[in-house]
Amino acid sequence: FKQKTAYEMPKWLEFRRVLFRSRKRRMTIDTFIKNNPQGVYYVLVRGHALAVTEGILVDNSNRLKRRVIDAWKISNPKP
């Protein structure tokens, strides 16, 4: 097994930032899902990352009140 660098990995994912810039009032995961019911998203919360796929939270916890720091839409989720 040879570990690959990011430059050697396949380039089949396209990311687009989707979240606001305001740091005063961040939306919760619950609100993010309601505002973005379609698509696949990579979401950052404090100390953690998770996915939202077609309005469903893909994570090992169900804490929907966490504040979203940043999010990206994956525009081509197929290999």
Side-chain angles (χ1 to χ4, degrees):
F1 175 75
K2 179 184 181 276
Q3 188 171 2
K4 295 181 179 183
T5 66
Y7 297 105
E8 296 171 314
M9 296 182 81
K11 308 288 191 287
W12 51 269
L13 290 180
E14 296 175 23
F15 293 91
R16 182 175 55 89
R17 187 178 226 157
V18 294
L19 206 60
F20 49 87
R21 295 274 181 181
S22 173
R23 298 284 184 198
K24 282 187 177 183
R25 197 164 157 107
R26 293 184 180 139
M27 76 172 60
T28 62
I29 295 170
D30 191 34
T31 306
F32 181 85
I33 290 171
K34 287 176 185 172
N35 291 344
N36 300 282
Q38 301 290 317
V40 179
Y41 298 90
Y42 177 74
V43 182
L44 293 178
V45 294
R46 186 175 174 196
H48 193 66
L50 53 98
V52 174
T53 304
E54 302 301 330
I56 298 170
L57 175 65
V58 181
D59 192 25
N60 58 359
S61 75
N62 264 348
R63 296 192 300 175
L64 296 174
K65 298 303 175 193
R66 288 178 163 183
R67 300 279 179 194
V68 175
I69 295 171
D70 217 340
W72 293 268
K73 182 172 187 175
I74 301 173
S75 59
N76 188 9
K78 300 177 205 167

